């Protein structure tokens, strides 16, 4: 029997935020967001010897990347502008991808992933007769924090 999912999540319920710290502080939504993703991977280390006819592997170091795409917002105080400044200065950023709850300015992460990252790419797309968009690519630095936290 196939497994059924009753807790499906609509993508726009999980937003991309800049934060003051790794899962803490003020959460600032990246305005005009169209999509975001968070990808995890692990190195595959071969552990088989020459006598084995099949390769065997173990998991090595893990890493993660993230990205966010949004309608372009170049206003001086926008979160996009702050990400551009961090990119230009080579500074790390704190981000959260997921759901938050609470009053504006004192939100807490409910479900998702908090992480520290460097911005590895920024791309503006300006198609004729369509909305201009901006995308950021991020390389996660260190271990991300998943919410809800395991007890």
């Amino acid at each position: 029997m196939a497994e059924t999912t009753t807790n499906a999540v609509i993508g726009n319920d999980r937003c991309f935020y800049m934060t003051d710290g790794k899962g803490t502080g003020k959460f600032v939504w990246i305005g005009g967001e169209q999509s975001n993703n968070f990808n995890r991977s692990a190195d595959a280390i071969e552990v088989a010897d020459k006598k084995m006819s099949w390769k065997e592997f173990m998991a090595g170091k893990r890493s993660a990347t993230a990205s966010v795409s949004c309608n372009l917002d170049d206003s001086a105080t926008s979160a996009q502008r702050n990400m551009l400044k961090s990119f230009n200065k080579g500074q790390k950023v704190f981000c959260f991808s997921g759901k938050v709850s609470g009053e504006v300015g004192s939100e807490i992460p409910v479900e998702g992933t908090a992480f520290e990252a460097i911005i590895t790419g920024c791309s503006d797309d300006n198609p004729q007769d369509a909305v201009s968009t901006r995308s950021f690519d991020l390389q996660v630095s260190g271990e991300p924090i998943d919410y809800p936290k395991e007890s």
Side-chain angles (χ1 to χ4, degrees):
M1 175 182 257
E3 182 178 333
T4 59
T5 303
T6 57
N7 296 328
V9 176
I10 296 174
N12 58 357
D13 284 345
R14 295 177 62 93
C15 296
F16 194 93
Y17 302 87
M18 288 187 69
T19 67
D20 297 335
K22 201 169 177 180
T24 62
K26 184 178 178 184
F27 289 74
V28 179
W29 178 59
I30 304 298
E33 179 183 350
Q34 295 296 307
S35 66
N36 71 73
N37 66 50
F38 190 85
N39 303 300
R40 301 167 198 254
S41 62
D43 294 337
I45 300 171
E46 185 177 348
V47 294
D49 61 34
K50 292 182 182 204
K51 295 177 188 174
M52 302 171 125
S53 59
W54 283 88
K55 292 182 177 183
E56 290 188 16
F57 297 90
M58 63 181 274
K61 295 205 181 253
R62 279 151 305 285
S63 63
T65 59
S67 66
V68 60
S69 296
C70 41
N71 293 332
L72 192 133
D73 178 2
D74 263 340
S75 57
T77 59
S78 73
Q80 291 180 36
R81 208 64 171 152
N82 290 334
M83 287 186 73
L84 275 173
K85 289 176 191 172
S86 295
F87 175 74
N88 290 335
K89 293 178 181 179
Q91 298 172 327
K92 289 185 178 179
V93 293
F94 294 102
C95 302
F96 178 75
S97 176
K99 292 181 179 182
V100 296
S101 71
E103 298 293 322
V104 173
S106 60
E107 299 96 336
I108 57 169
V110 175
E111 180 182 292
T113 306
F115 55 94
E116 182 177 13
I118 59 168
I119 300 169
T120 57
C122 175
S123 176
D124 290 359
D125 186 24
N126 303 294
Q128 275 311 111
D129 300 322
V131 174
S132 294
T133 59
R134 175 173 284 148
S135 299
F136 292 99
D137 298 314
L138 301 100
Q139 176 65 54
V140 175
S141 179
E143 184 176 359
I145 300 171
D146 291 317
Y147 290 89
K149 289 185 178 181
E150 294 182 20
S151 14

